[in-house]
Amino acid sequence: MGKRHFVSSGALACAVLLAMTAAQANDSTGYVGTGGVEYLKNKNISMHSEDLYISKEEVRVNYEFKNLSNKDITETVLFPMPAVPSFIDSDYADTSATYGNFKVWANGKPIAPDQHVRTFMYPIIIKNGEENYAETPIDTTNLFKACGISDAQMMSPWTYKFDTDDINQRLLDCNSKALDRFIDDRESLYIPWDSQVIYSWKQTFKANTITKVKHTYKPLVGSSVHLGEEEFPSFCVDASTQKGFNKNSGRPYHALSYILTTGANWAKPITNFKLTVKRDPNELVSFCWEGKGNVKKIGPTTFEIKESNFVPTHDFDVAFIMK
């Protein structure tokens, strides 16, 4: 079986970015349990506003949540980071720069979130006599732990503190029939698996009150030497931008994704939503937008979208293209 490409998925398009399997995401309530992560829809708390800033250097989000009830409510808030592969291409994002960079404040006070790690593997499927990996991964955290692999080792695609080959050897040596779903060659150290970091914290939302939550982090940004015609629809590259490319040569680019759709897990539409995208002076920026708001250029390198009563139904993929 060949090496997998990693796809950023969304309602707009699917693009091979060599960047991430999951993406930066809006907050959601839920819980982390032994069986996995559960994201829950909250009927008592609305996202009154979201002010989202995206650049290659920083993602910054300011939320205002409103407790619609007459009682204080304490919930677990989850912020999932991308699931990153244990095998990393040379143009993959710098996970070490993102790891440990997440910061969160509630009503202006810093919070030290809990950190969880999950692993995912892709089941092997046989179709027309050929073996391939399934597109949808399965949470295998408990399987890794049963094979004696620690949280710190499962975090190695982020921290680089452990040799992946040593971890894979432990999987090969593990006497578990459950691994047969994911490993076809017990002699090969090539075992695809992904590692996801999830931050969580307990948040009390006061009755009939606005709670302000802010977080910042350095995003995972993928790159490629060539943005060609096959990727144009994924980022809605317009005709004028395409004309600026040399014929058949494409352009080097960076890309990142942000999962907006988890923002629909709250009680109501987002009353006030604002997205700001900032590029470097030597770049073009291209992305799709399916909301009602128009994209406005508010500065030489800055673009803005505003929405009212916004229900996110698609995720956001953006390409930063070298001129």
Side-chain angles (χ1 to χ4, degrees):
M1 291 180 289
K3 200 166 187 179
R4 287 176 295 127
H5 293 284
F6 298 93
V7 178
S8 168
S9 62
L12 299 177
C14 288
V16 177
L17 305 186
L18 299 177
M20 56 210 72
T21 55
Q24 287 77 212
N26 273 335
D27 285 353
S28 175
T29 52
Y31 65 89
V32 180
T34 56
V37 180
E38 185 73 21
Y39 300 98
L40 304 176
K41 187 172 178 65
N42 196 302
K43 64 181 181 180
N44 296 309
I45 301 168
S46 68
M47 190 184 289
H48 185 70
S49 72
E50 177 181 0
D51 186 349
L52 171 61
Y53 170 91
I54 291 179
S55 72
K56 299 200 309 292
E57 289 72 35
E58 181 185 36
V59 170
R60 183 172 66 244
V61 198
N62 286 281
Y63 299 109
E64 290 185 355
F65 296 101
K66 187 173 183 180
N67 183 344
L68 305 176
S69 74
N70 295 318
K71 296 180 179 179
D72 292 354
I73 298 174
T74 299
E75 295 279 16
T76 298
V77 180
L78 303 179
F79 185 85
M81 296 300 286
V84 301
S86 56
F87 283 89
I88 297 175
D89 292 324
S90 59
D91 54 1
Y92 193 81
D94 182 4
T95 55
S96 62
T98 299
Y99 176 75
N101 191 261
F102 179 74
K103 297 180 176 63
V104 58
W105 297 261
N107 294 324
K109 295 182 179 180
I111 291 175
D114 293 326
Q115 181 178 270
H116 315 270
V117 60
R118 313 298 299 182
T119 63
F120 297 86
M121 299 181 80
Y122 293 76
I124 297 168
I125 57 175
I126 300 176
K127 187 175 182 179
N128 298 325
E130 294 185 358
E131 288 187 349
N132 288 287
Y133 291 111
E135 293 184 4
T136 304
I138 293 176
D139 189 315
T140 52
T141 308
N142 289 342
L143 182 53
F144 272 56
K145 290 183 176 180
C147 291
I149 299 169
S150 68
D151 283 5
Q153 290 170 316
M154 289 189 285
M155 201 91 72
S156 60
W158 290 86
T159 63
Y160 311 137
K161 289 184 177 180
F162 294 89
D163 189 331
T164 302
D165 283 351
D166 292 340
I167 299 170
N168 291 351
Q169 186 62 60
R170 182 163 293 189
L171 289 172
L172 292 174
D173 294 341
C174 184
N175 186 22
S176 171
K177 290 290 186 182
L179 282 170
D180 292 343
R181 293 184 65 190
F182 312 100
I183 301 174
D184 69 327
D185 184 358
R186 288 280 182 160
E187 300 299 322
S188 172
L189 284 173
Y190 175 67
I191 304 174
W193 55 275
D194 298 342
S195 172
Q196 183 183 31
V197 174
I198 299 168
Y199 294 100
S200 73
W201 65 93
K202 292 288 187 182
Q203 182 65 55
T204 297
F205 300 89
K206 296 290 186 180
N208 296 306
T209 301
I210 293 286
T211 298
K212 296 182 178 181
V213 175
K214 173 185 177 181
H215 43 70
T216 66
Y217 60 96
K218 184 176 179 61
L220 285 175
V221 181
S223 64
S224 179
V225 297
H226 179 83
L227 178 67
E229 293 182 2
E230 63 274 15
E231 284 88 38
F232 290 167
S234 303
F235 303 106
C236 293
V237 179
D238 60 26
S240 62
T241 302
Q242 293 178 35
K243 288 179 181 178
F245 292 178
N246 292 331
K247 188 176 182 180
N248 299 324
S249 67
R251 277 289 190 280
Y253 73 108
H254 294 84
L256 64 83
S257 276
Y258 192 93
I259 296 177
L260 290 170
T261 48
T262 45
N265 285 350
W266 303 91
K268 294 182 177 182
I270 303 170
T271 308
N272 299 298
F273 173 85
K274 183 173 76 170
L275 168 63
T276 304
V277 180
K278 185 176 179 62
R279 63 169 173 82
D280 290 342
N282 64 337
E283 293 175 330
L284 303 170
V285 67
S286 191
F287 53 82
C288 301
W289 188 257
E290 290 188 348
K292 296 179 181 178
N294 295 320
V295 180
K296 295 182 179 180
K297 189 174 184 179
I298 61 172
T301 59
T302 308
F303 302 83
E304 182 183 271
I305 300 170
K306 290 184 178 179
E307 298 277 0
S308 298
N309 297 317
F310 178 53
V311 179
T313 59
H314 62 87
D315 299 320
F316 183 71
D317 300 324
V318 57
F320 301 93
I321 309 163
M322 295 293 293
K323 290 182 179 178

